Amino acid sequence: MIRRALSAAFRGPKSIPYAYGAIHAVIDASTVTVVVSSSMIHELSLGQAFQLIVAYDILAFGSQALIGLIIDKLELLRGAVLLGIALTVAAIVALPLTPVTAMILAGLGNASFHVGAGAITLCASEGRSAPNGIFVAPGALGLTFGLWFGRSGAELMWPFYVVLGLCFVWALVLPVPAEHRVRTPGERDRPPGAPEPGRVRFAHVIVVLLLVSIVVRSLVGYSGAYQCPSGPLKLFGLGAAAFGGKALGGIISDRLGWMDVSVGALLLSAPFIAFGGPNIELLLIGMFLFQMTMPVTLAAVALCYPKRPGLEFGLTALALIIGVLPTFSQAATQFYGPVVFLALILASALSVWVGLRMLGDRNPIRGMWSARRA
């Protein structure tokens, strides 16, 4: 009866990004809490805690491309989701025992869930960008909660078991697309029996350009607020800006055109981020605009490799960690400044513009910036 009720409440592809997005927030909150709280529970030195966090980030994001290849080969999307939740539970169990084991389990659990749920969302998106933003955006809230709760020592862990258990049951009954592929926008109106659309020309070049923009988004997103003093406003404000930008960016882009919204939002964000300085209000406006391009870049990469949704999601995660790595070095802070940030954002906008222009025969890519008006 419970299974039937849950299936009725979340039946059909439209429910997928919302449901998996909610679980996404729980997974990120749980894994980040495990890693951040390890330093306090096990009384690690500042250097040891830093190394643990860096290792977690590399494992959680860097392994997603490999996991994506595996689940594309085996077509185990739901299995990857369930494995991710189970590994996250195991990480919480291991937390009081050993920080390294807990970190490894948390990193692999996070990666497995992201790739599985992300691939499911891509397969159900029908080439639109909005579902991607709706799925990814709650992760920013989970990350923010995990950082805040983890710094408190996080000794009260039993609620995570309860919520993760419910998520596991929820994932068992959530719908999964019948086909392991990303349907392009034109396929919605394709008559039965008609041939599939041809391969995207210069797909590899387009993907590289879009991944470059993701690297820049990650780099600037983590370092752009360096002048703002640390505190609750910065932590929760940046989390809310990332959530809002990603969630609304895809919805607006599908309505007004990928090119107009994504490139326009990047250009509008540049002065707020580059010259906002210690003014947190200006920076939050900039970060909100800056994150609006995320659903579009993910959807565009998916159109290039429609039969490899796991790999596509994994590649974008790999680009994220590449962008984050320089921010871990204290030496990198000497390069932070208005000119550098402005140049990086403009380079990101140019990469998106060229990449989407090359992909301009796809329906959502329209508007005054595009190669072809729909």
Side-chain angles (χ1 to χ4, degrees), residues 1-358:
M1 181 179 294
I2 296 177
R3 181 188 177 98
R4 231 182 354 254
L6 287 172
S7 296
F10 297 100
R11 183 182 294 130
K14 291 185 179 180
S15 69
I16 286 176
Y18 298 97
Y20 284 104
I23 302 176
H24 183 187
V26 174
I27 292 293
D28 278 9
S30 303
T31 54
V32 172
T33 296
V34 166
V35 176
V36 174
S37 63
S38 291
S39 59
M40 296 186 178
I41 293 175
H42 295 280
E43 299 182 350
L44 302 180
S45 67
L46 188 60
Q48 290 173 325
F50 177 75
Q51 291 174 359
L52 196 72
I53 292 173
V54 172
Y56 164 79
D57 284 336
I58 293 175
L59 182 60
F61 291 92
S63 66
Q64 289 190 35
L66 177 59
I67 294 174
L69 277 172
I70 295 172
I71 69 169
D72 283 337
K73 181 71 174 178
L74 303 178
E75 297 190 6
L76 292 175
L77 301 186
R78 192 196 300 273
V81 171
L82 297 175
L83 177 62
I85 298 173
L87 288 174
T88 302
V89 173
I92 298 174
V93 173
L95 177 59
L97 306 176
T98 164
V100 175
T101 302
M103 178 274 294
I104 293 173
L105 291 170
L108 292 176
N110 189 288
S112 181
F113 170 81
H114 273 76
V115 176
I120 290 172
T121 303
L122 286 172
C123 291
S125 67
E126 296 187 332
R128 294 171 295 127
S129 66
N132 304 322
I134 293 169
F135 163 68
V136 174
L141 301 181
L143 172 63
T144 301
F145 177 84
L147 289 171
W148 170 76
F149 191 63
R151 289 170 184 171
S152 68
E155 296 181 1
L156 186 65
M157 298 299 292
W158 67 263
F160 286 96
Y161 291 114
V162 175
V163 178
L164 286 168
L166 292 174
C167 288
F168 190 90
V169 175
W170 196 5
L172 281 173
V173 299
L174 283 172
V176 175
E179 291 185 281
H180 188 91
R181 61 190 296 270
V182 180
R183 297 180 64 198
T184 58
E187 290 185 80
R188 283 173 285 183
D189 304 316
R190 183 164 57 92
E196 295 182 8
R199 296 179 60 184
V200 175
R201 296 181 62 195
F202 310 112
H204 299 326
V205 177
I206 296 171
V207 169
V208 169
L209 288 168
L210 296 173
L211 292 181
V212 166
S213 74
I214 296 173
V215 170
V216 173
R217 186 176 74 239
S218 178
L219 174 59
V220 176
Y222 274 84
S223 61
Y226 75 105
Q227 288 183 293
C228 294
S230 299
L233 178 59
K234 180 178 179 179
L235 176 63
F236 291 100
L238 290 174
F243 170 79
K246 292 173 181 178
L248 294 177
I251 296 172
I252 298 173
S253 295
D254 284 344
R255 290 180 176 273
L256 303 182
W258 289 5
M259 187 77 78
D260 284 0
V261 175
S262 56
V263 177
L266 284 172
L267 295 177
L268 287 173
S269 74
F272 290 101
I273 296 175
F275 305 108
N279 190 315
I280 188 64
E281 290 81 8
L282 292 179
L283 279 168
L284 291 181
I285 295 173
M287 290 299 179
F288 172 84
L289 294 167
F290 191 65
Q291 296 288 353
M292 289 181 69
T293 187
M294 174 260 130
V296 169
T297 52
L298 179 55
V301 169
L303 291 180
C304 292
Y305 303 145
K307 295 183 179 180
R308 296 188 174 273
L311 175 62
E312 291 155 1
F313 199 92
L315 287 175
T316 60
L318 182 61
L320 286 174
I321 191 60
I322 291 173
V324 169
L325 286 177
T327 68
F328 291 144
S329 172
Q330 190 66 30
T333 58
Q334 63 182 309
F335 298 103
Y336 295 169
V339 176
V340 173
F341 287 140
L342 190 62
L344 287 172
I345 296 172
L346 292 178
S348 178
L350 179 62
S351 295
V352 173
W353 183 73
V354 175
L356 292 185
R357 228 181 133 77
M358 294 176 69

Side-chain angles (χ1 to χ4, degrees), residues 353-371:
W353 183 73
V354 175
L356 292 185
R357 228 181 133 77
M358 294 176 69
L359 197 66
D361 59 336
R362 304 292 168 171
N363 185 52
I365 308 167
R366 60 182 183 268
M368 63 180 181
W369 296 95
S370 64

